[in-house]
């Protein structure tokens, strides 16, 4: 129930959302790889925190587009620092709704590097990822679903 209502445009009815970003992702089947990565990176408590956070959430299909073995490698305990860097590159402090996005704008991520927003043909892009669902509100921020995992410079 939460999932179908979460993807409706925000302009309709305003309501308080009970689920935080992690609970929202856990309840969304196509974000299960992201949830597994967040757990492996020990970021659950952070993303359950007060926020607000803006999360650009890659789908399972986005993770599947990475070179073979990449996800499995990142989930290994010895690669935790790299996993955390990749995951925190998808998080921007504050609550940024799609209506706040401007073409060419840059945003500093929790990881420390910037992402670039591009608006073209009615679509929003974050670096090389397309936003496929926007403005999914959580109690501690907002989630925008993206079709590609964005990677920081390592």
């Amino acid at each position: 129930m939460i999932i179908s209502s979460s993807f409706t445009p925000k302009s309709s009815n305003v309501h308080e959302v009970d689920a935080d970003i992690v609970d929202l992702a856990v309840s969304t089947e196509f974000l299960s790889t992201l949830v597994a990565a967040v757990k492996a990176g020990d970021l659950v408590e952070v993303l359950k925190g007060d926020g607000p956070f803006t999360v650009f959430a890659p789908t399972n299909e986005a993770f599947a587009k990475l070179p073979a073995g990449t996800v499995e490698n990142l989930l290994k305990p010895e690669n935790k620092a790299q996993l955390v860097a990749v995951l925190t590159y998808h998080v921007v402090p504050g609550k940024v709704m799609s209506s706040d996005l401007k073409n060419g704008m840059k945003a500093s991520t929790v990881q420390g590097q910037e992402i670039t927003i591009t608006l073209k043909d009615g679509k929003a892009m974050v670096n090389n990822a397309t936003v496929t669902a926007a403005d999914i509100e959580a109690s501690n921020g907002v989630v925008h679903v993206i079709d590609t995992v964005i990677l920081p410079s390592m």
Side-chain angles (χ1 to χ4, degrees):
M1 187 163 115
I2 250 184
I3 296 168
S4 60
S5 66
S6 297
F7 291 95
T8 56
K10 195 59 205 134
S11 57
S12 53
N13 53 356
V14 177
H15 61 280
E16 192 61 36
V17 182
D18 292 332
D20 61 40
I21 288 169
V22 174
D23 293 340
L24 187 77
V26 166
S27 70
T28 308
E29 177 56 37
F30 61 82
L31 296 178
S32 62
T33 306
L34 176 62
V35 170
V38 166
K39 288 177 180 176
D42 288 331
L43 294 172
V44 171
E45 289 308 311
V46 174
L47 291 175
K48 282 183 154 293
D50 291 341
F53 304 106
T54 299
V55 175
F56 294 98
T59 62
N60 296 344
E61 288 180 2
F63 280 102
K65 290 197 292 189
L66 291 170
T70 302
V71 174
E72 295 77 10
N73 260 340
L74 285 172
L75 294 177
K76 291 179 181 173
E78 63 267 24
N79 296 328
K80 183 176 171 182
Q82 190 178 7
L83 174 65
V84 169
V86 169
L87 293 174
T88 56
Y89 188 62
H90 289 78
V91 181
V92 173
K95 186 174 181 179
V96 183
M97 303 301 285
S98 62
S99 58
D100 299 325
L101 301 177
K102 306 280 184 269
N103 190 40
M105 82 184 274
K106 297 196 180 295
S108 293
T109 66
V110 171
Q111 182 264 353
Q113 294 180 35
E114 287 186 334
I115 53 173
T116 302
I117 305 299
T118 310
L119 304 177
K120 186 177 173 188
D121 301 327
K123 292 186 178 180
M125 305 265 308
V126 181
N127 292 358
N128 60 332
T130 301
V131 175
T132 58
D135 299 338
I136 304 164
E137 291 198 79
S139 61
N140 62 344
V142 63
V143 175
H144 304 291
V145 178
I146 55 177
D147 67 353
T148 304
V149 176
I150 54 176
L151 299 170
S153 303
M154 293 286 191

